[in-house]
Amino acid sequence: MTNGLEQAIESLTPIQRDATNWVEGSVLVLAGPGAGKTRVLTTRISKLLEESPDKKFRVLALTFTTKAATEMLERVQYLVPEAAEARTFIGTFHAFCAQILGQHGSHIGIQPDFGICDQPGDRRGLLTDAIHEAVKNGEQMSDEDILWLDTIDRMKARVISPEKAASQNNNSRMVRAYELYEAKLRSENLMDFNGLILDACRLLAEKPAVAKRIRDTYPYWLLDEFQDTSPAQYWLMHYLSGGEFKNIFAVADEDQIIFQWAGASYSQIEKFREKYKPVLIQLVENHRCPPEIVQIANRLVAHNTQRIPEKKLTLAARKLPIGAMSLKTFETDIEEQEFLASELLSEGPRYWGKSAILGRTRALLEPTLVYLKNKGVKAVILQRRDNFVSPQFVWLQMCLDQVLRPLDKRVFTVFVNSANTITDIQLDPLLLVSEAEASGHSFLEHWATEVQKTDSSVAHVLGNLANDIIRSRQDWEKVVKKAIPVLLNTAPVSEDAVSDVTEDHTAWTNCIKEIRLEKGGNLELTDVVQGLALRSKEPPRDPDAVALLTIHASKGLEFDNVYVIGLAEQEMPSWQSLKKGDTSSEMEEERRNCFVAITRTKEKLTLSWAKNYRGWKRSPSRFLKEMGLLSE
C-alpha cells in the first residue's frame, strides 16, 4: 500500500471508513455538503485497485463536470499511481457515452470519429439546412419549424427517439423536424449532447451483449452527485445494468437538487431505491461550515418534503470560529453594493481571492460587479465558457475539426473567419467552398493553397501548418506545438489586462491535460476533437479577485468568506417559484438553492437583503424566517 493511500485511510472518520470499505452490492451514500464525499469516492476506488493487483477489471466512476472528474482522477493517481490510468474510467456521463459509441456505435450506424455539435447556433443551422432541403424536395415545411429544436432537445433528454416521437407528440411537423434533424446529424457524422446519451441507450437496448461486455469490464460502478441525474442518465444506467447488475455505489444529496430544469428530480433517488434496494449510509458530518451555518441550514431544509426526513447535518469535532454569520438589511440594492465594496476595501486585497458573492441571478451580480470595479475592488463573474474566444484558438480548434470532417461547411466558415481576423486578409468562405467543390479538394486543402497566394507571412505559416496536419493526422500534437507559439505571437499585447489569447492558451493547456488524464498518454485526433467539445473553456479563476457567482455556478465550490445577496421575496425565492405556490416543487428547489449558497462557507457568512431592487419594493425572503434569523 502506498504511503498516500495509507494516510488517506487513516484520515477517514468511522462513517467515512464504512463507506470506503463497501465492496459488493448497491449502496446509497447520503452525503451532505462538506462531508468528504470526494475523499470517500477516491479512497474507495484506490482501495479496490490496491487490493486486486493481479486482476484485470476496471472501475467506472461517473460525475457531471470535467472539473470534478479531473480532480477525482488526479487524487486516485496520487493514491495508486500505477493502477489509476490503466484500470479506471473516471469522467462525465457524456464522455463515457462518447467512448461507448466510439467503440461500439458501428452496430447502430455511428462512425467512431463522429464530431460533437455542441453549440446552439450550429444545431439551429443543421435543422435549418435540413428543412430547406426538405422544402426543395416538395415537403410542406417552413422556417417556423426550426422552433421545434427546443422540443427535440426535451424529447432526447427523456430518451424519446424520432421513431417514438409520434406517440409522445401528435404534431406531425414536429415529428418530421425531429426526423430531418437526426438524419442531418448522421449525414454529417455528428452527435449533439443529448444524442450522446440517447444513442448510447439505444445501442445498449438493441445490443445487450455490448452492455454485458461493459459490465464484465467494469464490475464496480461509482456515481457521483446522483441527485443531479436526468431521466436520460438514469435510463443509461438501466440499460447498462441490464436489470441484473446491482453493484452500484451512488452518492447523493437530495438537499442539493437545483437542476430541475435539466431533469434532476428527487424521483430519481426514489426509483434507484426501489429498483436496486441499496443499503443507506448517512455521510452528514460537516467538515466545512461553522456551527451557526450548520444550524440554520438544518432549520431551512427541514421545510422541504422531497427529502429523506431523518437526514440532518452534524458538526465534525474541530475548532471553529465563533460569530461567523451576520445578516444585513438595506434600503436599496445600491446600499447593498456600497456595503460590499466598503467591506472588501477595508479587508484589503489579500481577502478578495478568498471571498465569493453569490446571487440567485446574473441580474443581481452584474450591477454589483460594475460597482465593485468602479470602487477599485478586483472582481470577476465566474461562469462556464463553452467556446474559445480568441481567433487564434478558435482557428486551432476548427483546424483540427476540419481534418476530421473535411466537408463540414459550418466549421469551415468559422475557421476561415478566424483566420481572416488573425492574418488581416479577407477570404470569402462561401466562395472557397464553391471553388473547393469544383476542384475536388477538401475545404482545408483549398484554403491552404489560397492563403499561399496572399502577401501575409502569417497566413503562409498557418497554411503550412494546416497542410502538415492534413498530411499526417497522427502527428497532430507536433503540429499543435509548432502552431501555438505562432498564434500567440499574432495576438496584440495588452499591458492592462490578461488578453483573450492568454486565457485561451491556459484553457487549451488544461483541456488537453484533462483529455490525456481521461484517455491515457497517446491521444488520437478524434479523442482531442471530441474531448474539446465536451469541456468548458474558461481559464482558471484569478486567485486575487473576488468571485461573483450564481448559486448554480457555485455548487461544489467552497470559500473562506461568502456573501449571499438578494435574500428578498421575488429575488430568492424567485418570482416564478412564488407563482407556483408555497408547496410547489419549484419553491422546494428555491429553498435548496439557498441551502447550497450558505453551505459554501468555510469561515464567514454574510446574508443581506434590500427593501428595493431595481426600483421595485421587496420584502425579506421567507428563507430568513425559516432559518430563524427573522421573526414571523
Side-chain angles (χ1 to χ4, degrees), residues 28 52 54 126 134-135 181 212 316 347 420-421 453 481 483 608:
L28 177 60
S52 60
D54 57 337
L126 281 168
V135 170
Y181 175 67
K212 183 180 186 306
E347 292 287 353
N420 288 347
T421 302
K453 300 175 183 177
K481 285 181 179 178
S608 64

PDB file of all heavy atoms in Angstrom, residues 28 52 54 126 134-135 181 212 316 347 420-421 453 481 483 608:
ATOM      1  N   LEU A  28     -26.461   3.489  -1.269  1.00  0.00           N
ATOM      2  CA  LEU A  28     -26.754   4.897  -1.489  1.00  0.00           C
ATOM      3  C   LEU A  28     -26.165   5.677  -0.323  1.00  0.00           C
ATOM      4  O   LEU A  28     -26.597   5.524   0.820  1.00  0.00           O
ATOM      5  CB  LEU A  28     -28.260   5.131  -1.578  1.00  0.00           C
ATOM      6  CG  LEU A  28     -28.719   6.588  -1.741  1.00  0.00           C
ATOM      7  CD1 LEU A  28     -28.150   7.205  -3.024  1.00  0.00           C
ATOM      8  CD2 LEU A  28     -30.250   6.677  -1.731  1.00  0.00           C
ATOM      9  N   SER A  52      -6.386  -5.517  -5.431  1.00  0.00           N
ATOM     10  CA  SER A  52      -6.543  -6.508  -6.514  1.00  0.00           C
ATOM     11  C   SER A  52      -5.467  -6.310  -7.578  1.00  0.00           C
ATOM     12  O   SER A  52      -5.787  -6.144  -8.755  1.00  0.00           O
ATOM     13  CB  SER A  52      -7.929  -6.380  -7.132  1.00  0.00           C
ATOM     14  OG  SER A  52      -8.094  -5.066  -7.660  1.00  0.00           O
ATOM     15  N   ASP A  54      -3.512  -8.247  -9.101  1.00  0.00           N
ATOM     16  CA  ASP A  54      -3.407  -9.275 -10.143  1.00  0.00           C
ATOM     17  C   ASP A  54      -4.684  -9.383 -10.984  1.00  0.00           C
ATOM     18  O   ASP A  54      -4.802 -10.279 -11.815  1.00  0.00           O
ATOM     19  CB  ASP A  54      -3.105 -10.635  -9.507  1.00  0.00           C
ATOM     20  CG  ASP A  54      -4.147 -11.034  -8.472  1.00  0.00           C
ATOM     21  OD1 ASP A  54      -4.828 -10.123  -7.943  1.00  0.00           O
ATOM     22  OD2 ASP A  54      -4.291 -12.233  -8.194  1.00  0.00           O
ATOM     23  N   LEU A 126     -27.998  23.282 -38.555  1.00  0.00           N
ATOM     24  CA  LEU A 126     -28.241  21.939 -39.087  1.00  0.00           C
ATOM     25  C   LEU A 126     -29.715  21.724 -39.399  1.00  0.00           C
ATOM     26  O   LEU A 126     -30.075  21.219 -40.473  1.00  0.00           O
ATOM     27  CB  LEU A 126     -27.765  20.886 -38.083  1.00  0.00           C
ATOM     28  CG  LEU A 126     -26.278  20.596 -38.017  1.00  0.00           C
ATOM     29  CD1 LEU A 126     -25.964  19.755 -36.788  1.00  0.00           C
ATOM     30  CD2 LEU A 126     -25.825  19.862 -39.275  1.00  0.00           C
ATOM     31  N   ALA A 134     -35.612  19.694 -47.376  1.00  0.00           N
ATOM     32  CA  ALA A 134     -36.916  19.032 -47.451  1.00  0.00           C
ATOM     33  C   ALA A 134     -37.895  19.838 -48.300  1.00  0.00           C
ATOM     34  O   ALA A 134     -38.682  19.277 -49.082  1.00  0.00           O
ATOM     35  CB  ALA A 134     -37.475  18.828 -46.042  1.00  0.00           C
ATOM     36  N   VAL A 135     -37.853  21.170 -48.148  1.00  0.00           N
ATOM     37  CA  VAL A 135     -38.735  22.036 -48.939  1.00  0.00           C
ATOM     38  C   VAL A 135     -38.420  21.894 -50.435  1.00  0.00           C
ATOM     39  O   VAL A 135     -39.322  21.824 -51.275  1.00  0.00           O
ATOM     40  CB  VAL A 135     -38.592  23.502 -48.483  1.00  0.00           C
ATOM     41  CG1 VAL A 135     -39.311  24.442 -49.453  1.00  0.00           C
ATOM     42  CG2 VAL A 135     -39.150  23.670 -47.075  1.00  0.00           C
ATOM     43  N   TYR A 181     -33.756  16.442 -38.583  1.00  0.00           N
ATOM     44  CA  TYR A 181     -32.594  16.866 -37.787  1.00  0.00           C
ATOM     45  C   TYR A 181     -31.659  15.693 -37.522  1.00  0.00           C
ATOM     46  O   TYR A 181     -30.437  15.789 -37.703  1.00  0.00           O
ATOM     47  CB  TYR A 181     -33.092  17.477 -36.478  1.00  0.00           C
ATOM     48  CG  TYR A 181     -32.002  17.851 -35.501  1.00  0.00           C
ATOM     49  CD1 TYR A 181     -31.110  18.880 -35.777  1.00  0.00           C
ATOM     50  CD2 TYR A 181     -31.878  17.169 -34.283  1.00  0.00           C
ATOM     51  CE1 TYR A 181     -30.116  19.226 -34.866  1.00  0.00           C
ATOM     52  CE2 TYR A 181     -30.888  17.515 -33.381  1.00  0.00           C
ATOM     53  CZ  TYR A 181     -30.011  18.538 -33.672  1.00  0.00           C
ATOM     54  OH  TYR A 181     -29.025  18.877 -32.777  1.00  0.00           O
ATOM     55  N   LYS A 212     -23.353  -6.164 -21.572  1.00  0.00           N
ATOM     56  CA  LYS A 212     -22.733  -7.224 -20.779  1.00  0.00           C
ATOM     57  C   LYS A 212     -21.211  -7.110 -20.812  1.00  0.00           C
ATOM     58  O   LYS A 212     -20.535  -7.292 -19.786  1.00  0.00           O
ATOM     59  CB  LYS A 212     -23.159  -8.598 -21.278  1.00  0.00           C
ATOM     60  CG  LYS A 212     -22.597  -9.745 -20.423  1.00  0.00           C
ATOM     61  CD  LYS A 212     -23.025 -11.097 -20.929  1.00  0.00           C
ATOM     62  CE  LYS A 212     -22.566 -12.194 -19.968  1.00  0.00           C
ATOM     63  NZ  LYS A 212     -21.107 -12.146 -19.699  1.00  0.00           N
ATOM     64  N   ALA A 316     -18.557  18.206  12.604  1.00  0.00           N
ATOM     65  CA  ALA A 316     -17.336  17.465  12.896  1.00  0.00           C
ATOM     66  C   ALA A 316     -16.655  18.108  14.099  1.00  0.00           C
ATOM     67  O   ALA A 316     -16.766  19.314  14.327  1.00  0.00           O
ATOM     68  CB  ALA A 316     -16.406  17.489  11.690  1.00  0.00           C
ATOM     69  N   GLU A 347     -11.049  45.192   4.138  1.00  0.00           N
ATOM     70  CA  GLU A 347     -10.324  43.946   4.383  1.00  0.00           C
ATOM     71  C   GLU A 347      -9.037  43.887   3.560  1.00  0.00           C
ATOM     72  O   GLU A 347      -8.063  43.254   3.958  1.00  0.00           O
ATOM     73  CB  GLU A 347     -11.208  42.750   4.059  1.00  0.00           C
ATOM     74  CG  GLU A 347     -12.396  42.568   4.993  1.00  0.00           C
ATOM     75  CD  GLU A 347     -11.992  42.064   6.366  1.00  0.00           C
ATOM     76  OE1 GLU A 347     -10.811  41.730   6.571  1.00  0.00           O
ATOM     77  OE2 GLU A 347     -12.866  42.016   7.256  1.00  0.00           O
ATOM     78  N   ASN A 420      -9.048  34.968 -41.099  1.00  0.00           N
ATOM     79  CA  ASN A 420      -9.079  36.332 -41.642  1.00  0.00           C
ATOM     80  C   ASN A 420      -8.736  37.359 -40.565  1.00  0.00           C
ATOM     81  O   ASN A 420      -8.019  38.336 -40.810  1.00  0.00           O
ATOM     82  CB  ASN A 420     -10.458  36.636 -42.220  1.00  0.00           C
ATOM     83  CG  ASN A 420     -10.726  35.904 -43.524  1.00  0.00           C
ATOM     84  OD1 ASN A 420      -9.822  35.354 -44.141  1.00  0.00           O
ATOM     85  ND2 ASN A 420     -11.981  35.885 -43.940  1.00  0.00           N
ATOM     86  N   THR A 421      -9.271  37.145 -39.353  1.00  0.00           N
ATOM     87  CA  THR A 421      -9.002  38.077 -38.256  1.00  0.00           C
ATOM     88  C   THR A 421      -7.524  38.049 -37.867  1.00  0.00           C
ATOM     89  O   THR A 421      -6.908  39.091 -37.629  1.00  0.00           O
ATOM     90  CB  THR A 421      -9.877  37.731 -37.039  1.00  0.00           C
ATOM     91  OG1 THR A 421     -11.255  37.773 -37.414  1.00  0.00           O
ATOM     92  CG2 THR A 421      -9.644  38.711 -35.892  1.00  0.00           C
ATOM     93  N   LYS A 453      -1.156  32.427 -51.714  1.00  0.00           N
ATOM     94  CA  LYS A 453      -1.140  33.430 -52.786  1.00  0.00           C
ATOM     95  C   LYS A 453      -1.206  34.858 -52.240  1.00  0.00           C
ATOM     96  O   LYS A 453      -1.072  35.816 -53.017  1.00  0.00           O
ATOM     97  CB  LYS A 453      -2.321  33.197 -53.727  1.00  0.00           C
ATOM     98  CG  LYS A 453      -2.323  31.829 -54.405  1.00  0.00           C
ATOM     99  CD  LYS A 453      -3.587  31.639 -55.232  1.00  0.00           C
ATOM    100  CE  LYS A 453      -3.655  30.247 -55.855  1.00  0.00           C
ATOM    101  NZ  LYS A 453      -4.915  30.032 -56.614  1.00  0.00           N
ATOM    102  N   LYS A 481       2.093  21.928 -31.313  1.00  0.00           N
ATOM    103  CA  LYS A 481       3.208  22.539 -30.572  1.00  0.00           C
ATOM    104  C   LYS A 481       3.917  23.599 -31.413  1.00  0.00           C
ATOM    105  O   LYS A 481       4.397  24.604 -30.885  1.00  0.00           O
ATOM    106  CB  LYS A 481       4.193  21.458 -30.137  1.00  0.00           C
ATOM    107  CG  LYS A 481       3.698  20.612 -28.964  1.00  0.00           C
ATOM    108  CD  LYS A 481       4.724  19.566 -28.556  1.00  0.00           C
ATOM    109  CE  LYS A 481       4.219  18.760 -27.366  1.00  0.00           C
ATOM    110  NZ  LYS A 481       5.177  17.693 -26.967  1.00  0.00           N
ATOM    111  N   ALA A 483       2.313  25.282 -33.802  1.00  0.00           N
ATOM    112  CA  ALA A 483       1.331  26.329 -34.108  1.00  0.00           C
ATOM    113  C   ALA A 483       1.142  27.310 -32.960  1.00  0.00           C
ATOM    114  O   ALA A 483       0.976  28.516 -33.188  1.00  0.00           O
ATOM    115  CB  ALA A 483      -0.008  25.686 -34.468  1.00  0.00           C
ATOM    116  N   SER A 608     -27.638  39.138   3.103  1.00  0.00           N
ATOM    117  CA  SER A 608     -28.159  40.502   3.001  1.00  0.00           C
ATOM    118  C   SER A 608     -29.396  40.550   2.108  1.00  0.00           C
ATOM    119  O   SER A 608     -29.582  39.718   1.227  1.00  0.00           O
ATOM    120  CB  SER A 608     -27.081  41.454   2.465  1.00  0.00           C
ATOM    121  OG  SER A 608     -26.702  41.113   1.149  1.00  0.00           O
TER     122      SER A 608
END
